[in-house]
Amino acid sequence: MASLREIEGRIGSTKKTSQITSAMHMVANSKLRRAEENSVKFQPYMEKLQDAVQAIASGDSSSSHPMLEERPVKRTGYVVITSDSGLAGPYNANVLKALTKEIKERHNNDKDFYDIFVIGRMGYEFLNSRGYNVTSYRTGLQDQPDFASVKEVTHQAVSQFIDEDIDELFIVFNKFVNVLEQKVTINKLLPLTEENAEETSSSSETLASYEFEPDKESLLEVILPQYAESLIYGSLLDAKASEYAARMTAMKAATDNAKELIGDLTLEYNRVRQAAITQEITEIVGGAAALE
């Protein structure tokens, strides 16, 4: 049985841990609100850009661009979004599990058939240490990242598709559903198909209001890479909200568990203390009886 001093030390250390996890829960809650706001603010831009892309790419078979053309798939690219730190429950593990499963099923783990573009230190360290083909990565993001912070990775991923180094591009991330639920999502980014454009489009009346100058081909050259990069950035904002929600849930669970452990240790401490007091009383009574 542990001594009173040992139990008291465990109670003290657990209380300090509880204070830390409680503070981290409040910080994650604050960051979550900001991340949700950033994601909501980005949506109007995305919607307008999606409208413009559909207006340019649909309804005219003469308009063409490599990003709109499907071709035989020889090599696949994956953009993977993870966090830069742990203590977020299964947030990173779920994304990496989905990615590794996809690579094993589609490519049999052969590096000649895929490239990985990683955002987040946890994903980079996991994949790099296990020998996966990490082409590019970005770590050390701000709590509320701006587009410039991930532009290099997103631009490289899109450029490799345009240059036909890869023939399709997917993004793997945690989609924010609510505070208690984050869903691992694998979305196909490239090539951009007409069906995908229609899923995110506005009404035909809105599309009819666009006029193009100088011509659709010139606009496609500029707007399609920006559109694909903005899809990745929008997914990053969504993933950040999921990260803080997962961390908030994990820290709340850790705080609750610490409080429960403190209660158990306090009960054990009282029992050991009572046993020690009883032992002392017994010894005193026995000593007094021996003197009589």
Side-chain angles (χ1 to χ4, degrees):
M1 181 179 293
S3 66
L4 286 173
R5 179 172 294 181
E6 290 174 346
I7 298 174
E8 190 174 9
R10 290 184 63 190
I11 291 174
S13 63
T14 305
K15 284 182 177 180
K16 292 179 180 178
T17 301
S18 175
Q19 292 172 352
I20 294 172
T21 56
S22 179
M24 293 179 68
H25 172 267
M26 290 187 289
V27 171
N29 186 23
S30 176
K31 291 181 178 180
L32 172 61
R33 290 197 297 269
R34 290 187 60 191
E36 286 186 278
E37 290 175 1
N38 291 339
S39 182
V40 170
K41 290 177 180 178
F42 188 69
Q43 289 306 311
Y45 170 78
M46 280 296 304
E47 291 171 0
K48 287 296 182 182
L49 193 56
Q50 288 164 355
D51 289 345
V53 167
Q54 188 194 8
I56 298 171
S58 64
D60 185 357
S61 59
S62 64
S63 300
S64 63
H65 189 274
M67 294 175 67
L68 298 173
E69 300 172 358
E70 294 191 17
R71 52 182 181 257
V73 178
K74 298 178 182 178
R75 195 174 184 88
T76 302
Y78 297 93
V79 177
V80 185
I81 301 176
T82 62
S83 67
D84 280 322
S85 60
L87 301 178
Y91 173 83
N92 293 300
N94 289 343
V95 171
L96 295 171
K97 181 179 179 180
L99 173 68
T100 53
K101 180 181 179 181
E102 186 83 1
I103 291 175
K104 182 177 180 180
E105 292 179 351
R106 297 192 62 192
H107 315 294
N108 197 28
N109 292 328
D110 192 332
K111 295 182 180 179
D112 294 332
F113 296 105
Y114 70 88
D115 287 303
I116 303 177
F117 308 89
V118 184
I119 298 175
R121 183 175 61 85
M122 300 299 292
Y124 170 70
E125 291 182 351
F126 175 90
L127 296 169
N128 189 56
S129 64
R130 286 162 177 77
Y132 286 90
N133 190 31
V134 178
T135 302
S136 180
Y137 67 94
R138 176 67 168 88
T139 62
L141 292 179
Q142 302 173 359
D143 291 333
Q144 309 298 332
D146 54 15
F147 180 72
S149 62
V150 293
K151 182 174 177 57
E152 182 179 350
V153 172
T154 58
H155 180 72
Q156 183 176 352
V158 173
S159 296
Q160 284 198 210
F161 179 85
I162 296 175
D163 296 338
E164 299 188 11
D165 294 327
I166 57 176
D167 303 300
E168 58 182 357
L169 181 64
F170 291 85
I171 185 166
V172 187
F173 68 105
N174 268 302
K175 185 176 181 60
F176 180 78
V177 180
N178 54 53
V179 175
L180 297 177
E181 182 181 1
Q182 300 83 45
K183 182 179 180 182
V184 177
T185 304
I186 303 178
N187 286 341
K188 186 175 183 179
L189 295 179
L190 297 173
L192 297 169
T193 62
E194 186 173 345
E195 289 76 12
N196 290 339
E198 289 177 352
E199 289 177 1
T200 56
S201 68
S202 299
S203 64
S204 58
E205 295 180 359
T206 302
L207 299 178
S209 65
Y210 283 93
E211 296 181 2
F212 307 104
E213 182 68 30
D215 55 69
K216 289 187 175 183
E217 284 72 19
S218 299
L219 292 174
L220 286 174
E221 290 290 335
V222 176
I223 199 172
L224 283 179
Q226 292 180 356
Y227 174 58
E229 292 173 7
S230 69
L231 286 177
I232 298 175
Y233 179 61
S235 299
L236 174 62
L237 294 180
D238 204 355
K240 274 295 181 181
S242 298
E243 176 189 342
Y244 297 134
R247 181 167 285 111
M248 188 173 70
T249 301
M251 292 301 98
K252 185 179 186 305
T255 302
D256 293 342
N257 290 337
K259 291 179 179 179
E260 182 178 351
L261 180 58
I262 290 171
D264 293 341
L265 289 172
T266 301
L267 182 60
E268 182 181 355
Y269 177 86
N270 291 335
R271 287 175 178 171
V272 173
R273 182 170 176 271
Q274 184 63 45
I277 293 172
T278 302
Q279 179 67 26
E280 290 177 0
I281 292 174
T282 302
E283 291 176 356
I284 293 172
V285 172
L291 294 174
E292 292 179 356

